[in-house]
Amino acid sequence: MDGSSEDRADALFHALADRTRRDILRRVLAGEHSVSALAASYDMSFAAVQKHVAVLERAGLLTKRRRGREQLASGDVEAVRSVASMLTELEGIWRGRIARIDALLEEN
């Protein structure tokens, strides 16, 4: 991966590292939600939920649009697929190492 890909991976995994952000992402992947409706679902301030939404938005996991005075958030399925792809790549590397260890053990 090049530097910008690594930066993107850092942003994605940072965004997903928080339980509240993962929950917000699940909600907005299921359907568009207003940020105020999301905030009502959590025992924290509206500003705190806005910050979580901003982290997800910077990582590209959700997008926001305005409808009047409301901010509506939607999940980005392609961004989630890119996370899955990164994890699949890492799993392939890990499985390759296990296969090499198995081969070495069989030689002995």
Side-chain angles (χ1 to χ4, degrees):
M1 275 203 240
D2 63 19
S4 66
S5 296
E6 288 292 336
D7 290 345
R8 171 118 170 95
D10 287 348
L12 287 167
F13 287 108
H14 168 73
L16 294 171
D18 182 86
R19 173 180 303 165
T20 300
R21 288 193 289 269
R22 289 190 306 272
D23 190 63
I24 291 170
L25 182 60
R26 278 191 280 278
R27 290 170 190 263
V28 298
L29 284 167
E32 190 173 59
H33 286 72
S34 72
V35 176
S36 56
L38 288 170
S41 303
Y42 301 99
D43 188 26
M44 61 181 73
S45 69
F46 178 77
V49 172
Q50 273 187 310
K51 287 179 183 178
H52 283 301
V53 168
V55 171
L56 290 164
E57 185 178 28
R58 278 193 303 276
L61 290 163
L62 69 72
T63 56
K64 287 190 314 196
R65 70 179 182 91
R66 279 198 143 335
R67 183 178 66 194
R69 292 175 36 180
E70 281 187 311
Q71 290 184 39
L72 301 173
S74 299
D76 186 329
V77 175
E78 285 305 314
V80 174
R81 284 190 181 125
S82 74
V83 172
S85 175
M86 284 181 225
L87 292 173
T88 299
E89 178 186 343
L90 292 172
E91 181 184 12
I93 293 166
W94 174 75
R95 287 187 183 279
R97 292 187 74 178
I98 296 297
R100 286 192 299 280
I101 291 170
D102 287 345
L104 286 170
L105 291 173
E106 286 178 18
E107 286 176 14
N108 294 329

